[in-house]
Amino acid sequence: MSNRQPWPDTDVQAVNEKVVYQNPLLFLKVWEIRDADGIRPVPETWPWHYHKEVEFLAISEGSLRVQTPAASRTLEAGDMMVIGSYGLHRTCNGSDAPLRYTVLQVELERHFDPSMLPYLNGFSERFAALEKMNYIFDEQPEAKEEAFKLVSDIFSETARKEIGYELAIGSSLKRLLLLLLRRDSRGLLQRANDLELERFRPVLDYVDGHLGEKITVDDVRALMGMSYHHFIKSFKKAVGVPFVDYVNYNRIKKAERLLATSDLSILEIGFEVGIWNMAQFYKLFRRYNSHSPKEFRRRMRG
């Protein structure tokens, strides 16, 4: 991977790219780009683009020039790069040779189950942009090779669609996250403390058992013998997300399961997860999904 001089700036407005998922269960799009003609001049009008999905690039053949606000670099065959959520970027062929590479765009947060929440803050880029994690691929060849294989496996599974391919893709995505976590020698991906998290186990169990009911901070802080403000501060530090966000996240996760597996009406599902105001239910559901509950159910059963 080598650095190049940045492209000239343009005044063209950046494009907010809408990513259409190939499978609504997996919240990702993965495909291979081939350019057999080699290098072309950089167009005079060449807009940046961005999307909420995190993007992984895996170069199989040739070279790809990638520009972000932070850097301009050329990826060679075998190289990897990650671009964070909403990260501005633009690309072009970097040589006169044929180019072939895989693009994986994925809404990472959709692959976090409740047991993974301690790591959510790190991957949500609240502490550091995921683009900074490219130092792993620059400095650790074996990590780059493993990540490349995982992205290639995800592409192959998506193309073949053999039985259980969703499980295989979900597993590969989690292994990709695990690789970034364990290879992060600079500690950019912060996580919650295990001992602190276990301390709040009674609260987590209470939330899990009362999702269909009204849950207040006063209900759970009493379990810990804490004041309101002490609880709010300590819970966020231990779990990685504010208490209200944790409750809402688990409510919507349960709603998704019910939408996919039950014949309950959307109103009944809202009641089942403790959200009795339908406007609020739709608002919260869209916070974690790009579709309404009705559209989510249709896609899940499509």
Side-chain angles (χ1 to χ4, degrees):
M1 185 183 301
S2 59
N3 291 330
R4 290 283 187 90
Q5 291 297 316
W7 289 296
D9 291 333
T10 68
D11 294 326
V12 181
Q13 185 176 3
V15 176
N16 185 351
E17 181 181 296
K18 174 67 174 177
V19 175
V20 179
Y21 301 138
Q22 292 151 318
N23 184 324
L25 286 170
L26 297 173
F27 301 92
L28 63 79
K29 179 180 180 182
V30 59
W31 74 105
E32 189 175 68
I33 293 178
R34 293 173 179 260
D35 183 356
D37 298 332
I39 196 165
R40 296 187 178 92
V42 177
E44 292 183 4
T45 302
W46 193 15
W48 297 82
H49 69 280
Y50 62 96
H51 36 74
K52 69 179 179 179
E53 291 76 15
V54 172
E55 180 167 305
F56 292 90
L57 300 171
I59 315 304
S60 299
E61 181 181 359
S63 62
L64 179 72
R65 294 181 65 190
V66 184
Q67 186 179 19
T68 70
S72 177
R73 57 176 67 192
T74 297
L75 305 177
E76 307 292 348
D79 279 340
M80 283 284 306
M81 183 174 180
V82 58
I83 300 169
S85 176
Y86 294 104
L88 285 171
H89 57 287
R90 53 186 181 177
T91 64
C92 77
N93 198 327
S95 73
D96 57 2
L99 171 66
R100 180 167 60 93
Y101 64 102
T102 302
V103 182
L104 168 62
Q105 297 169 331
V106 56
E107 192 175 345
L108 284 185
E109 292 188 3
R110 300 298 307 158
H111 292 270
F112 278 75
D113 56 47
S115 68
M116 298 170 62
L117 282 180
Y119 304 98
L120 182 58
N121 261 348
F123 286 102
S124 65
E125 304 186 74
R126 295 178 184 177
F127 301 112
L130 279 180
E131 186 180 343
K132 293 183 177 181
M133 302 303 295
N134 286 307
Y135 84 88
I136 295 175
F137 304 138
D138 294 341
E139 299 175 1
Q140 304 177 39
E142 66 281 5
K144 180 175 67 175
E145 183 179 351
E146 183 179 349
F148 192 103
K149 184 179 186 305
L150 288 169
V151 171
S152 299
D153 288 346
I154 291 170
F155 172 65
S156 297
E157 289 286 352
T158 303
R160 294 197 306 268
K161 288 186 171 58
E162 296 176 354
I163 186 169
Y165 80 98
E166 300 94 339
L167 295 175
I169 290 173
S171 174
S172 292
L173 281 171
K174 290 183 177 180
R175 287 170 60 195
L176 189 56
L177 297 181
L178 179 62
L179 181 147
L180 293 176
L181 278 168
R182 291 187 171 175
R183 294 289 186 166
D184 180 22
S185 60
R186 300 181 185 178
L188 299 180
L189 295 175
Q190 299 187 27
R191 57 147 295 159
N193 181 279
D194 286 338
L195 293 178
E196 283 295 304
L197 187 62
E198 189 59 31
R199 179 188 177 200
F200 280 88
R201 177 57 53 191
V203 174
L204 305 184
D205 291 342
Y206 180 91
V207 170
D208 185 58
H210 294 79
L211 284 176
E213 306 169 19
K214 182 178 180 180
I215 300 175
T216 69
V217 173
D218 283 335
D219 292 332
V220 293
R221 72 175 181 83
L223 297 173
M224 305 297 295
M226 294 180 174
S227 68
Y228 180 93
H229 293 292
H230 185 205
F231 174 83
I232 291 295
K233 183 178 179 179
S234 299
F235 185 89
K236 183 177 180 180
K237 180 181 178 181
V239 180
V241 293
F243 177 72
V244 172
D245 288 354
Y246 177 82
V247 174
N248 288 335
Y249 182 86
N250 281 272
R251 289 194 197 279
I252 298 306
K253 280 291 186 181
K254 181 177 180 181
E256 291 172 3
R257 293 193 296 270
L258 291 173
L259 285 166
T261 61
S262 79
D263 292 323
L264 294 174
S265 69
I266 293 175
L267 178 65
E268 290 171 326
I269 289 174
F271 288 172
E272 284 290 319
V273 300
I275 307 174
W276 301 282
N277 182 306
M278 280 296 98
Q280 178 69 6
F281 178 57
Y282 271 74
K283 180 180 179 180
L284 279 176
F285 197 89
R286 280 197 171 274
R287 180 183 298 177
Y288 297 99
N289 290 277
S290 56
H291 305 289
S292 69
K294 182 178 180 180
E295 178 68 8
F296 180 88
R297 169 174 271 173
R298 186 186 71 79
R299 285 174 172 268
M300 292 287 281
R301 300 186 177 190

